[in-house]
């Protein structure tokens, strides 16, 4: 790597080399995992570059290629598997200047990759539109980082995950070659670069579908137990008279321990549902609840005291649950898993018997091929790395649960469970020197790595 020659070649482009800032921009939420925290804590880039447009991205990648400088892209830095951490030093390419909406059509929006997702949503709402799917980090995550590093989020109860072809229209990508190419990926080709942690190039622009906007009301419902909360949640998810944007459930003691500001609402020892309900469907929603005599509507954002300034319910859900749990007790961590819908109640009971409060369950209901399905993101009481590995093995072996291990830094060992051959082939074309986010695609560094048979992608239908 010849950093001096690289710097000379990108003269005029914003560069940051103060060690404390470079270290800060070399980190993400890897510390969610005690294993990744131990493994990755010392990794740091050499420089941060902030291109202001696609031409500057092209110049940076050409200079990096010529001088063998690794490049790791960073959006909001909210990834929680160490995706945006430079494992071989080099350059952190920060997309924070690559922002703005470039086109708003009837049913799509196009934004530069570094645009904060919440900014896109605000812009859309001014035009009577809304985004389809967003992570609970919408206030700080970039749209490029979500497509490159995320899986799903708010909207999943209607639209499934990011792998659903309905959720991304086009990805514009700059390749890491002697003369970088600019590719517009559509259709099936999108998945060569989506959820690839930026190992195939730098996304500069994203086109996603949009829908007419609705007025969503945050609600919380409690039930005597978690199994009941999930039965109710599935029936709500299947009620076509009630449009939902989010549907999440939490087992006690998650809400009472970690949702401090909602404590007066959630009670003690109860199962909790948090949902976003279309305002005009609230009568149908309350009529539905009336058929469940033990369920209680405990919170409606539109009827709460504004002086309380309570957060959005999506900031209790998805991986925000983990954040709240770790902030309360640093000895906690998490897992991600597909939960068997057909044996939901038995599996919940069996996990309770075997593991007690080592596993605290919460589900993000996601529509896969039209079926309302529980995706579990449990909080785990961490003791040792060996125990965590044994727990994952036991969940898969004895309980019919597919675990997507968030304690792994590579694409394959985490959410994918196998090498995506099209992503690997694509990398050979777009990054022949292997300089893009090195260390994140195991098939590149360890071609003999054997995938586990029969496992599928995280949040794939
Ligand atoms: C509290 C919390 C809650 C979360 N909730 C969710 C959730 O609901 N759903 C979900 O899917 N995830 C969730 N996540 C994970 C993460 O926030 C999201 O995936 C988020 O969208 C990542 O965006 P980012 O801009 O922060 O990406 P970064 O962390 O900066 O990057 C993520 C990955 O994408 C790559 N990348 C970034 N930009 C580009 C680009 N322009 N071109 C190529 N590669 C690029 C990076 O190299 C990295 O590999 C959560 C994380 C936290 C900490």
């Amino acid at each position: 790597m010849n950093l001096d020659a690289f710097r000379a070649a990108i003269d005029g482009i914003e560069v940051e080399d103060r060690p404390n800032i470079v270290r800060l921009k070399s980190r993400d939420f890897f510390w969610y995992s005690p294993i990744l925290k131990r493994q990755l804590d010392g990794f740091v880039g050499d420089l941060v570059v902030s291109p202001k447009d696609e031409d500057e991205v092209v110049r940076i990648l050409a200079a990096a290629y010529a001088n063998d400088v690794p490049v790791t892209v960073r959006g909001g830095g909210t990834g929680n598997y160490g995706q945006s951490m430079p494992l071989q030093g080099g350059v952190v390419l920060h997309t924070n200047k690559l922002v703005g909406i470039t086109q708003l059509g009837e049913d799509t929006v196009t934004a530069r990759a570094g645009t904060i997702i919440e900014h896109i949503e605000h812009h859309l709402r001014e035009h009577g539109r809304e985004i389809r799917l967003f992570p609970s980090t919408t206030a700080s995550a970039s749209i490029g980082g979500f497509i490159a590093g995320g899986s799903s989020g708010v909207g999943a109860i209607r639209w499934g995950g990011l792998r659903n072809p309905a959720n991304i229209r086009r990805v514009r990508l700059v390749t890491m070659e002697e003369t970088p190419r600019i590719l517009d990926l559509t259709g099936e080709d999108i998945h060569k670069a989506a959820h690839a942690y930026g190992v195939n190039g730098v996304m500069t622009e994203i086109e996603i579908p949009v829908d007419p906007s609705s007025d969503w009301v945050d609600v919380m419902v409690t039930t005597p137990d978690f199994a009941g909360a999930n039965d109710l949640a599935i029936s709500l998810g299947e009620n076509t008279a009630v449009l939902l944007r989010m549907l999440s459930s939490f087992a006690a003691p998650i809400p009472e321990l970690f949702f401090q500001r909602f404590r007066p609402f959630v009670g003690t020892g109860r199962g909790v549902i948090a949902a976003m309900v279309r305002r005009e469907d609230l009568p149908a929603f309350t009529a539905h609840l009336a058929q469940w005599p033990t369920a209680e509507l405990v919170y409606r954002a539109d009827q709460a005291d504004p002086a309380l300034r309570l957060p959005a319910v999506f900031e209790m859900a998805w991986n925000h649950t983990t954040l709240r749990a770790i902030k309360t007790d640093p000895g906690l961590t998490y897992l991600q898993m597909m939960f068997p819908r057909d044996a939901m109640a038995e599996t919940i009971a069996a996990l309770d018997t075997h593991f007690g409060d080592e596993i605290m369950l919460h589900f993000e209901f996601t529509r896969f091929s039209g079926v309302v399905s529980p995706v579990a993101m449990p909080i785990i009481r961490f003791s040792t790395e060996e125990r965590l590995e044994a727990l994952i093995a036991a969940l898969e072996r004895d309980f019919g649960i597919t675990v997507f291990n968030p304690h792994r830094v590579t694409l394959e060992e985490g959410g994918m469970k196998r090498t995506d051959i099209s992503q690997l082939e694509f990398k050979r074309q777009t990054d022949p020197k292997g300089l893009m986010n090195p260390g994140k695609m195991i098939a590149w560094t360890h071609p003999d790595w054997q995938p586990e048979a029969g496992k599928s992608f995280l949040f794939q239908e």
Side-chain angles (χ1 to χ4, degrees):
M1 155 166 52
N2 185 343
L3 266 181
D4 291 337
F6 170 79
R7 279 190 85 146
I10 62 157
D11 188 38
I13 297 177
E14 187 177 319
V15 174
E16 175 64 71
D17 60 4
R18 282 173 294 175
N20 55 337
I21 307 280
V22 177
R23 182 172 148 76
L24 199 69
K25 300 292 180 200
S26 298
R27 299 163 81 79
D28 59 15
F29 281 69
F30 71 108
W31 48 265
Y32 261 34
S33 158
I35 294 179
L36 295 181
K37 192 173 177 186
R38 174 182 60 74
Q39 291 174 339
L40 305 184
D41 204 25
F43 288 102
V44 64
D46 295 288
L47 296 173
V48 179
V49 296
S50 301
K52 66 175 184 318
D53 55 31
E54 192 175 77
D55 290 346
E56 291 195 349
V57 173
V58 170
R59 276 184 65 204
I60 290 166
L61 295 192
Y65 183 91
N67 296 292
D68 297 316
V69 176
V71 172
T72 302
V73 189
R74 177 189 183 83
T78 64
N80 40 266
Y81 322 126
Q83 299 107 304
S84 57
M85 295 182 67
L87 303 187
Q88 293 180 16
V91 162
V92 173
L93 189 156
H94 199 190
T95 60
N96 61 334
K97 300 276 159 59
L98 215 57
V99 296
I101 287 162
T102 52
Q103 203 180 0
L104 176 58
E106 192 54 31
D107 61 358
T108 64
V109 65
T110 306
R112 294 193 184 92
T115 313
I116 298 298
I117 301 169
E118 188 182 74
H119 298 171
I120 303 176
E121 173 83 350
H122 284 164
H123 182 84
L124 289 175
R125 288 201 162 264
E126 285 168 12
H127 295 85
R129 302 274 181 282
E130 68 183 27
I131 210 164
R132 206 164 257 195
L133 202 61
F134 62 86
S136 61
T137 43
T138 182
S140 48
S142 66
I143 188 67
F146 183 42
I147 304 294
S151 305
S152 188
V154 180
I157 186 60
R158 282 178 81 190
W159 300 108
L162 279 175
R163 291 203 72 85
N164 179 344
N167 291 331
I168 312 172
R169 288 282 169 84
R170 184 173 58 89
V171 165
R172 190 170 167 91
L173 185 86
V174 181
T175 64
M176 169 64 102
E177 296 174 273
E178 185 175 2
T179 306
R181 288 173 293 151
I182 298 170
L183 307 176
D184 278 298
L185 305 174
T186 55
E188 273 300 300
D189 285 345
I190 287 172
H191 296 291
K192 294 175 178 172
H195 200 81
Y197 294 179
V199 301
N200 292 326
V202 179
M203 295 178 188
T204 52
E205 203 174 73
I206 308 286
E207 184 179 335
I208 47 174
V210 299
D211 301 303
S213 59
S214 297
D215 184 8
W216 301 101
V217 179
D218 285 0
V219 299
M220 281 190 184
V221 174
T222 64
T223 57
D225 58 27
F226 186 55
N230 292 314
D231 289 340
L232 171 56
I234 286 186
S235 73
L236 277 167
E238 289 175 345
N239 183 342
T240 50
V242 181
L243 196 64
L244 300 171
R245 200 179 198 189
M246 186 189 86
L247 182 61
S248 312
S249 65
F250 307 89
I254 288 180
E256 64 216 55
L257 287 185
F258 310 134
F259 300 173
Q260 276 96 341
R261 296 174 64 197
F262 284 99
R263 262 186 204 145
F265 303 96
V266 296
T268 306
R270 292 179 67 83
V272 173
I273 293 173
M276 295 170 71
V277 184
R278 186 166 60 169
R279 184 179 292 279
E280 59 258 45
D281 297 342
L282 280 166
F285 178 77
T286 45
H288 189 111
L289 290 187
Q291 296 162 32
W292 295 71
T294 55
E296 201 183 336
L297 179 60
V298 291
Y299 173 72
R300 270 181 65 159
D302 59 342
Q303 294 175 351
D305 179 358
L308 292 174
R309 299 174 64 85
L310 292 167
V313 287
F314 68 72
E315 290 191 352
M316 304 298 119
W318 291 92
N319 245 326
H320 264 78
T321 318
T322 320
L323 182 62
R324 289 178 189 282
I326 296 177
K327 274 189 174 170
T328 309
D329 179 350
L332 299 172
T333 186
Y334 75 120
L335 285 176
Q336 302 170 146
M337 52 211 210
M338 295 299 294
F339 212 81
R341 177 184 146 134
D342 294 341
M344 201 170 57
E346 304 91 281
T347 310
I348 291 169
L351 294 186
D352 194 33
T353 305
H354 280 79
F355 302 108
D357 76 349
E358 189 178 10
I359 299 182
M360 294 174 250
L361 286 171
H362 69 103
F363 292 166
E364 301 304 332
F365 286 93
T366 300
R367 200 171 297 270
F368 291 126
S369 304
V371 179
V372 177
S373 309
V375 171
M377 304 184 75
I379 303 299
I380 306 293
R381 209 167 278 289
F382 178 75
S383 51
T384 64
E385 293 186 16
E386 294 70 28
R387 172 63 195 156
L388 185 58
E389 302 292 356
L391 178 68
I392 293 169
L395 288 168
E396 299 215 276
R397 187 187 57 235
D398 303 333
F399 297 91
I401 288 171
T402 302
V403 178
F404 296 94
N405 192 343
H407 305 280
R408 295 286 186 272
V409 74
T410 64
L411 278 160
E412 293 93 330
E413 294 168 291
M416 295 268 203
K417 296 226 159 210
R418 64 180 164 87
T419 298
D420 183 326
I421 301 299
S422 72
Q423 285 187 350
L424 177 62
E425 280 301 319
F426 192 53
K427 186 171 173 68
R428 291 194 179 113
Q429 297 159 22
T430 59
D431 179 27
K433 285 188 174 179
L435 292 168
M436 288 301 310
N437 206 351
K440 304 293 167 55
M441 184 183 258
I442 202 166
W444 187 268
T445 40
H446 298 89
D448 297 333
W449 181 78
Q450 287 300 315
E452 289 174 64
K455 302 290 184 176
S456 57
F457 290 90
L458 180 59
F459 299 119
Q460 187 177 31
E461 303 211 357

